[in-house]
Amino acid sequence: MKKDFRFHPLFILVESVSMIKNLFFAILFAFVLQLNNDNIFWTLARYGIIAGIIIGIITIILTWATTTYRFEEDRLILKRGIFSKTRTTVDYARIQNVQRITSVVHKPFGITSLQFLTASSTSSAIDLKAISTNTANELETLVQRLKQQETVVVDEINEDKEESETLQTTDEFESTITTHEEPKRIIHFQATRKQTIKAAFTSLSFLIIFPVLGFLINRGSELFKMEELLDEWFTFIIASYILIAIAIVALLFLGILIGLISTYLKYGKFIISSDEDQIYIERGILSEQSFTIRKKNVQGLQITQNLLKRLLKLREIKLVHIGQGGNEENSIDSLYPFLEEKDATKLIQQVLPSFSAQPTLKKLPKSALYLHLFAIPYLFIIILIGTIIWHWNYWWVIGVGVYTVVSRLLNYFFTRYALENESIFYKTGAWTTEMFLTNRNNIIEIAFRENFFQRWFQVCTIEITTRAQPVHVVSLKHVPVSFAEDTLDWYEQREFEIE
């Protein structure tokens, strides 16, 4: 197909809704909470918001009219720009991952947003924001088929080299491709009702009810002149311990209900599946999202646990991969943020067996504890100076001091590291810990540095840079010099594994 297409006309509606959403709080304050305020600031703010919305809608219409795309046999061409024209050409072979977002606005009209992520540092995401679902399916199928053909061709070349050291003809490759069956997906994880309920409590989303309710009561009483009525209700409730208990239980129930609904809408229908070549992640009820990534593009795993997740033995596994980019808010390259530890281990073994090693992690030496504790406490110094100058309460100084010491102790006790065959593991953090694991061939640089005090205690800092988009850099402080030397020897063996 060599015809230029425009986005679906509902692109205008989708982008207009997104613009209004971004201006929600400005509109709320200017046209609801401060509607009767004749102050020059709020008057100008109202006119400014109206003018901004009008200009924004005109810009959206012109963007729709001047943006076209065309998909051919081997490449996607995107043309855009109102005054300055830009033409972007992306070969399908350069597309690393595919992400689809079907929002509440998209769904009733049979349209979706399709995002192609590439390994380019200059244009890491090609976003087709409003195209028909059928077109999106056709594009995804086309890209996946070409990727599978590429794998088949490479495998056939390798086999033929081993047997006769001659290449097959193009016609033979095409014959092999046409008879190649599409691999079947295997479902490895599907969120259950129990996991969704646990996720709602773990995310603490139900607590949002309290600040929201306080804000609405405060502003609503001013707007609708309800101060006296609210005072009467408050006096009536606090007059009885039973009514206070009922009010607290009702608020908690409402918060939990809202938390369950929001978590279910976001993480409901969470499915992780894979075939021989790719991983597929899907989630969402009202707003549906999907993410497709080739297994060979996964450069490492980042396992995160906050304090509550550690207590409940839950963890989040995020993929560090080539082709990262696009809208971070809508990124779904996480293997479910509330996985139980046993499920997480099983999932890694099934989906990414090259990252499934479980070595015994080593602790930092005791000398590292002294370096952690006696590092300059910048936040504590700032609070102390502020207390002396502005006469703040000394409880701030005590609180920050205790927080600093406890954080450094936790950082020391939770930091771990290990080398295991082709893999390296390192875990850091205090209140929230992050464990990163990757393989030797995915690392592009290892650097060591040490200051005077580290040299005295025979420790150093390791910085490991992993291939990703953008590159992923992690520092591991105060590890023994002997481990650094082992890591360097281990990394130098990489050259024997690369063809």
Side-chain angles (χ1 to χ4, degrees):
M1 287 181 236
K2 295 187 178 180
K3 179 182 177 182
D4 286 339
F5 295 92
R6 284 194 176 92
F7 292 150
H8 196 284
L10 286 168
F11 167 85
I12 299 171
L13 174 63
V14 172
E15 291 298 292
S16 298
V17 170
S18 177
M19 178 183 62
I20 298 297
K21 178 183 175 182
N22 293 333
L23 293 173
F24 173 77
F25 286 104
I27 295 172
L28 177 65
F29 275 94
F31 291 95
V32 179
L33 303 180
Q34 301 294 335
L35 179 62
N36 298 323
N37 193 332
D38 295 329
N39 185 285
I40 185 64
F41 171 81
W42 290 109
T43 301
L44 291 176
R46 284 188 281 271
Y47 282 115
I49 291 172
I50 294 173
I53 291 175
I54 294 173
I55 294 172
I57 292 176
I58 294 173
T59 302
I60 291 170
I61 294 173
L62 292 176
T63 300
W64 172 80
T66 57
T67 301
T68 61
Y69 66 94
R70 181 171 79 243
F71 50 100
E72 300 179 349
E73 292 182 358
D74 60 346
R75 60 183 176 174
L76 171 66
I77 299 173
L78 180 66
K79 302 176 184 177
R80 62 187 186 277
I82 299 175
F83 301 107
S84 177
K85 300 294 183 180
T86 302
R87 175 189 170 110
T88 304
T89 302
V90 178
D91 294 336
Y92 295 130
R94 291 178 55 228
I95 295 173
Q96 303 296 330
N97 314 313
V98 181
Q99 180 167 313
R100 183 189 292 207
I101 301 174
T102 307
S103 67
V104 180
V105 182
H106 287 113
K107 193 178 293 186
F109 305 104
I111 60 175
T112 187
S113 171
L114 194 63
Q115 192 175 73
F116 297 104
L117 306 177
T118 73
S120 171
S121 59
T122 55
S123 57
S124 59
I126 304 300
D127 198 357
L128 305 180
K129 293 187 176 181
I131 60 176
S132 68
T133 303
N134 291 334
T135 301
N137 292 336
E138 184 177 351
L139 273 171
E140 273 199 273
T141 303
L142 176 62
V143 171
Q144 290 179 17
R145 187 175 70 246
L146 289 173
K147 292 292 186 183
Q148 291 166 5
Q149 290 176 3
E150 176 188 346
T151 303
V152 171
V153 169
V154 171
D155 291 343
E156 191 67 41
I157 290 175
N158 291 335
E159 290 176 5
D160 202 55
K161 276 183 178 179
E162 293 176 359
E163 294 176 1
S164 62
E165 297 183 353
T166 58
L167 299 177
Q168 291 183 342
T169 63
T170 304
D171 292 338
E172 288 174 322
F173 278 133
E174 291 177 354
S175 176
T176 304
I177 290 167
T178 53
T179 58
H180 178 68
E181 294 184 1
E182 186 174 341
K184 296 181 180 180
R185 295 190 192 183
I186 300 175
I187 296 178
H188 303 284
F189 173 82
Q190 193 165 5
T192 62
R193 184 181 303 175
K194 178 182 177 181
Q195 289 168 325
T196 303
I197 294 174
K198 185 180 289 187
F201 283 97
T202 307
S203 65
L204 301 179
S205 56
F206 62 92
L207 295 178
I208 196 174
I209 184 65
F210 297 104
V212 170
L213 189 61
F215 174 81
L216 292 177
I217 291 175
N218 183 36
R219 295 300 181 180
S221 61
E222 296 178 3
L223 184 63
F224 300 105
K225 310 298 182 184
M226 299 172 56
E227 291 91 343
E228 294 183 2
L229 179 61
L230 290 175
D231 287 341
E232 290 179 4
W233 287 357
F234 182 75
T235 304
F236 176 73
I237 291 174
I238 64 173
S240 170
Y241 291 113
I242 297 177
L243 292 177
I244 293 174
I246 293 174
I248 293 174
V249 171
L251 287 175
L252 286 174
F253 176 79
L254 181 61
I256 292 171
L257 181 62
I258 293 175
L260 285 172
I261 293 173
S262 62
T263 303
Y264 175 71
L265 293 179
K266 185 174 182 179
Y267 296 109
K269 294 184 179 179
F270 202 110
I271 300 174
I272 300 172
S273 59
S274 72
D275 55 33
E276 294 180 359
D277 186 53
Q278 300 188 110
I279 302 171
Y280 307 89
I281 305 174
E282 304 169 46
R283 79 175 189 196
I285 302 298
L286 292 181
S287 179
E288 298 178 356
Q289 296 176 279
S290 66
F291 180 71
T292 303
I293 178 174
R294 302 187 76 185
K295 291 181 179 180
K296 73 175 187 178
N297 289 342
V298 179
Q299 303 298 300
L301 299 180
Q302 182 173 300
I303 303 174
T304 305
Q305 287 182 300
N306 57 29
L307 188 60
L308 184 57
K309 286 183 179 180
R310 284 204 296 271
L311 294 174
L312 297 176
K313 295 185 178 181
L314 301 176
R315 54 178 58 182
E316 176 182 5
I317 303 176
K318 186 174 182 180
L319 305 178
V320 177
H321 56 87
I322 297 174
Q324 286 179 301
N327 192 338
E328 289 298 323
E329 180 183 354
N330 294 320
S331 176
I332 58 169
D333 49 1
S334 171
L335 303 182
Y336 198 66
F338 311 100
L339 279 170
E340 295 184 7
E341 291 183 352
K342 59 179 181 179
D343 293 334
T345 302
K346 181 180 177 181
L347 186 62
I348 294 173
Q349 291 173 345
Q350 293 176 346
V351 179
L352 294 165
S354 60
F355 296 98
S356 61
Q358 294 180 302
T360 302
L361 300 178
K362 299 178 182 179
K363 298 180 181 179
L364 290 176
K366 291 184 178 179
S367 57
L369 176 60
Y370 308 133
L371 292 172
H372 273 94
L373 290 176
F374 294 108
I376 300 175
Y378 294 103
L379 179 61
F380 177 79
I381 292 173
I382 292 172
I383 297 297
L384 181 60
I385 294 173
T387 302
I388 295 173
I389 296 176
W390 292 289
H391 304 290
W392 294 343
N393 194 313
Y394 276 95
W395 281 109
W396 284 102
V397 178
I398 297 173
V400 171
V402 172
Y403 172 81
T404 301
V405 173
V406 173
S407 296
R408 293 181 177 186
L409 287 172
L410 291 176
N411 200 338
Y412 167 76
F413 286 116
F414 287 141
T415 299
R416 298 284 191 276
Y417 57 91
L419 288 175
E420 178 78 12
N421 297 327
E422 290 81 28
S423 302
I424 186 170
F425 303 75
Y426 37 97
K427 178 180 178 181
T428 59
W431 305 101
T432 297
T433 60
E434 290 185 358
M435 185 171 75
F436 183 76
L437 57 112
T438 187
N439 294 330
R440 178 164 43 205
N441 291 339
N442 298 327
I443 298 174
I444 58 178
E445 181 181 348
I446 292 182
F448 307 108
R449 55 185 174 83
E450 57 182 2
N451 56 36
F452 172 79
F453 297 103
Q454 287 179 320
R455 194 177 302 115
W456 181 270
F457 287 103
Q458 296 184 340
V459 296
C460 65
T461 298
I462 301 179
E463 288 186 353
I464 300 179
T465 304
T466 306
R467 185 188 297 111
Q469 180 62 34
V471 293
H472 186 271
V473 182
V474 174
S475 294
L476 190 60
K477 295 182 178 180
H478 310 321
V479 296
V481 173
S482 58
F483 175 75
E485 293 173 348
D486 291 341
T487 303
L488 184 59
D489 293 338
W490 168 83
Y491 183 64
E492 287 176 348
Q493 297 177 25
R494 177 178 184 262
E495 60 184 68
F496 302 107
E497 301 172 357
I498 300 177
E499 297 180 0

